[in-house]
mmCIF file with all atom_site columns, all heavy atoms in Angstrom:
data_model
loop_
_atom_site.group_PDB
_atom_site.id
_atom_site.type_symbol
_atom_site.label_atom_id
_atom_site.label_alt_id
_atom_site.label_comp_id
_atom_site.label_asym_id
_atom_site.label_entity_id
_atom_site.label_seq_id
_atom_site.pdbx_PDB_ins_code
_atom_site.Cartn_x
_atom_site.Cartn_y
_atom_site.Cartn_z
_atom_site.occupancy
_atom_site.B_iso_or_equiv
_atom_site.pdbx_formal_charge
_atom_site.auth_seq_id
_atom_site.auth_comp_id
_atom_site.auth_asym_id
_atom_site.auth_atom_id
_atom_site.pdbx_PDB_model_num
ATOM 1  N N   . PRO G 1 291 ? 113.820 109.733 67.976 1.00 88.00 ? 291 PRO G N   1
ATOM 2  C CA  . PRO G 1 291 ? 113.907 110.480 66.624 1.00 88.00 ? 291 PRO G CA  1
ATOM 3  C C   . PRO G 1 291 ? 113.377 111.876 66.789 1.00 88.00 ? 291 PRO G C   1
ATOM 4  O O   . PRO G 1 291 ? 112.468 112.188 67.510 1.00 88.00 ? 291 PRO G O   1
ATOM 5  C CB  . PRO G 1 291 ? 113.384 109.661 65.594 1.00 88.00 ? 291 PRO G CB  1
ATOM 6  C CG  . PRO G 1 291 ? 112.430 108.744 66.312 1.00 88.00 ? 291 PRO G CG  1
ATOM 7  C CD  . PRO G 1 291 ? 113.085 108.594 67.712 1.00 88.00 ? 291 PRO G CD  1
ATOM 8  N N   . PHE G 1 292 ? 113.976 112.765 65.801 1.00 87.00 ? 292 PHE G N   1
ATOM 9  C CA  . PHE G 1 292 ? 113.561 114.244 65.764 1.00 87.00 ? 292 PHE G CA  1
ATOM 10 C C   . PHE G 1 292 ? 111.980 114.329 65.544 1.00 87.00 ? 292 PHE G C   1
ATOM 11 O O   . PHE G 1 292 ? 111.263 115.132 66.276 1.00 87.00 ? 292 PHE G O   1
ATOM 12 C CB  . PHE G 1 292 ? 114.278 114.978 64.607 1.00 87.00 ? 292 PHE G CB  1
ATOM 13 C CG  . PHE G 1 292 ? 113.970 116.339 64.577 1.00 87.00 ? 292 PHE G CG  1
ATOM 14 C CD1 . PHE G 1 292 ? 114.458 117.284 65.581 1.00 87.00 ? 292 PHE G CD1 1
ATOM 15 C CD2 . PHE G 1 292 ? 113.269 116.900 63.581 1.00 87.00 ? 292 PHE G CD2 1
ATOM 16 C CE1 . PHE G 1 292 ? 114.309 118.526 65.512 1.00 87.00 ? 292 PHE G CE1 1
ATOM 17 C CE2 . PHE G 1 292 ? 112.945 118.296 63.579 1.00 87.00 ? 292 PHE G CE2 1
ATOM 18 C CZ  . PHE G 1 292 ? 113.587 119.123 64.433 1.00 87.00 ? 292 PHE G CZ  1
ATOM 19 N N   . ALA G 1 293 ? 111.390 113.431 64.768 1.00 88.00 ? 293 ALA G N   1
ATOM 20 C CA  . ALA G 1 293 ? 109.924 113.590 64.577 1.00 88.00 ? 293 ALA G CA  1
ATOM 21 C C   . ALA G 1 293 ? 109.063 113.284 65.695 1.00 88.00 ? 293 ALA G C   1
ATOM 22 O O   . ALA G 1 293 ? 108.154 114.067 65.926 1.00 88.00 ? 293 ALA G O   1
ATOM 23 C CB  . ALA G 1 293 ? 109.455 112.571 63.367 1.00 88.00 ? 293 ALA G CB  1
ATOM 24 N N   . THR G 1 294 ? 109.677 112.388 66.577 1.00 87.00 ? 294 THR G N   1
ATOM 25 C CA  . THR G 1 294 ? 108.911 112.195 67.806 1.00 87.00 ? 294 THR G CA  1
ATOM 26 C C   . THR G 1 294 ? 108.929 113.265 68.733 1.00 87.00 ? 294 THR G C   1
ATOM 27 O O   . THR G 1 294 ? 108.004 113.736 69.523 1.00 87.00 ? 294 THR G O   1
ATOM 28 C CB  . THR G 1 294 ? 109.394 110.841 68.549 1.00 87.00 ? 294 THR G CB  1
ATOM 29 O OG1 . THR G 1 294 ? 109.302 109.824 67.667 1.00 87.00 ? 294 THR G OG1 1
ATOM 30 C CG2 . THR G 1 294 ? 108.821 110.586 69.793 1.00 87.00 ? 294 THR G CG2 1
ATOM 31 N N   . VAL G 1 295 ? 110.197 113.951 68.868 1.00 87.00 ? 295 VAL G N   1
ATOM 32 C CA  . VAL G 1 295 ? 110.444 115.016 69.711 1.00 87.00 ? 295 VAL G CA  1
ATOM 33 C C   . VAL G 1 295 ? 109.565 116.199 69.240 1.00 87.00 ? 295 VAL G C   1
ATOM 34 O O   . VAL G 1 295 ? 108.954 116.873 70.157 1.00 87.00 ? 295 VAL G O   1
ATOM 35 C CB  . VAL G 1 295 ? 111.943 115.521 69.672 1.00 87.00 ? 295 VAL G CB  1
ATOM 36 C CG1 . VAL G 1 295 ? 112.135 116.719 70.449 1.00 87.00 ? 295 VAL G CG1 1
ATOM 37 C CG2 . VAL G 1 295 ? 112.744 114.323 70.219 1.00 87.00 ? 295 VAL G CG2 1
ATOM 38 N N   . MET G 1 296 ? 109.393 116.435 67.957 1.00 89.00 ? 296 MET G N   1
ATOM 39 C CA  . MET G 1 296 ? 108.634 117.498 67.520 1.00 89.00 ? 296 MET G CA  1
ATOM 40 C C   . MET G 1 296 ? 107.012 117.331 67.786 1.00 89.00 ? 296 MET G C   1
ATOM 41 O O   . MET G 1 296 ? 106.351 118.150 68.145 1.00 89.00 ? 296 MET G O   1
ATOM 42 C CB  . MET G 1 296 ? 108.847 117.715 65.971 1.00 89.00 ? 296 MET G CB  1
ATOM 43 C CG  . MET G 1 296 ? 110.096 118.341 65.613 1.00 89.00 ? 296 MET G CG  1
ATOM 44 S SD  . MET G 1 296 ? 110.399 119.951 66.346 1.00 89.00 ? 296 MET G SD  1
ATOM 45 C CE  . MET G 1 296 ? 111.524 119.525 67.781 1.00 89.00 ? 296 MET G CE  1
ATOM 46 N N   . ARG G 1 297 ? 106.629 116.062 67.639 1.00 87.00 ? 297 ARG G N   1
ATOM 47 C CA  . ARG G 1 297 ? 105.217 115.801 68.006 1.00 87.00 ? 297 ARG G CA  1
ATOM 48 C C   . ARG G 1 297 ? 104.965 116.148 69.386 1.00 87.00 ? 297 ARG G C   1
ATOM 49 O O   . ARG G 1 297 ? 103.903 116.600 69.859 1.00 87.00 ? 297 ARG G O   1
ATOM 50 C CB  . ARG G 1 297 ? 104.919 114.402 67.765 1.00 87.00 ? 297 ARG G CB  1
ATOM 51 C CG  . ARG G 1 297 ? 104.689 113.989 66.190 1.00 87.00 ? 297 ARG G CG  1
ATOM 52 C CD  . ARG G 1 297 ? 103.910 112.764 66.047 1.00 87.00 ? 297 ARG G CD  1
ATOM 53 N NE  . ARG G 1 297 ? 104.765 111.618 66.596 1.00 87.00 ? 297 ARG G NE  1
ATOM 54 C CZ  . ARG G 1 297 ? 105.612 110.901 65.869 1.00 87.00 ? 297 ARG G CZ  1
ATOM 55 N NH1 . ARG G 1 297 ? 105.913 111.361 64.684 1.00 87.00 ? 297 ARG G NH1 1
ATOM 56 N NH2 . ARG G 1 297 ? 106.267 109.940 66.358 1.00 87.00 ? 297 ARG G NH2 1
ATOM 57 N N   . ARG G 1 298 ? 105.914 115.731 70.312 1.00 85.00 ? 298 ARG G N   1
ATOM 58 C CA  . ARG G 1 298 ? 105.740 116.107 71.784 1.00 85.00 ? 298 ARG G CA  1
ATOM 59 C C   . ARG G 1 298 ? 105.540 117.624 71.943 1.00 85.00 ? 298 ARG G C   1
ATOM 60 O O   . ARG G 1 298 ? 104.780 118.048 72.775 1.00 85.00 ? 298 ARG G O   1
ATOM 61 C CB  . ARG G 1 298 ? 106.800 115.492 72.641 1.00 85.00 ? 298 ARG G CB  1
ATOM 62 C CG  . ARG G 1 298 ? 106.733 114.000 72.737 1.00 85.00 ? 298 ARG G CG  1
ATOM 63 C CD  . ARG G 1 298 ? 107.779 113.677 73.932 1.00 85.00 ? 298 ARG G CD  1
ATOM 64 N NE  . ARG G 1 298 ? 108.117 112.180 73.819 1.00 85.00 ? 298 ARG G NE  1
ATOM 65 C CZ  . ARG G 1 298 ? 109.211 111.722 73.631 1.00 85.00 ? 298 ARG G CZ  1
ATOM 66 N NH1 . ARG G 1 298 ? 110.211 112.535 73.274 1.00 85.00 ? 298 ARG G NH1 1
ATOM 67 N NH2 . ARG G 1 298 ? 109.500 110.373 73.633 1.00 85.00 ? 298 ARG G NH2 1
ATOM 68 N N   . ARG G 1 299 ? 106.502 118.261 71.366 1.00 84.00 ? 299 ARG G N   1
ATOM 69 C CA  . ARG G 1 299 ? 106.656 119.804 71.597 1.00 84.00 ? 299 ARG G CA  1
ATOM 70 C C   . ARG G 1 299 ? 105.557 120.491 71.110 1.00 84.00 ? 299 ARG G C   1
ATOM 71 O O   . ARG G 1 299 ? 105.118 121.424 71.795 1.00 84.00 ? 299 ARG G O   1
ATOM 72 C CB  . ARG G 1 299 ? 107.938 120.316 70.945 1.00 84.00 ? 299 ARG G CB  1
ATOM 73 C CG  . ARG G 1 299 ? 108.304 121.650 71.190 1.00 84.00 ? 299 ARG G CG  1
ATOM 74 C CD  . ARG G 1 299 ? 109.556 122.129 70.795 1.00 84.00 ? 299 ARG G CD  1
ATOM 75 N NE  . ARG G 1 299 ? 109.980 123.382 71.157 1.00 84.00 ? 299 ARG G NE  1
ATOM 76 C CZ  . ARG G 1 299 ? 111.045 124.149 70.951 1.00 84.00 ? 299 ARG G CZ  1
ATOM 77 N NH1 . ARG G 1 299 ? 112.049 123.474 70.360 1.00 84.00 ? 299 ARG G NH1 1
ATOM 78 N NH2 . ARG G 1 299 ? 111.290 125.255 71.397 1.00 84.00 ? 299 ARG G NH2 1
#
Side-chain angles (χ1 to χ4, degrees):
F292 184 72
T294 301
V295 174
M296 289 298 100
R297 280 197 301 271
R298 288 196 195 113
R299 184 170 186 178

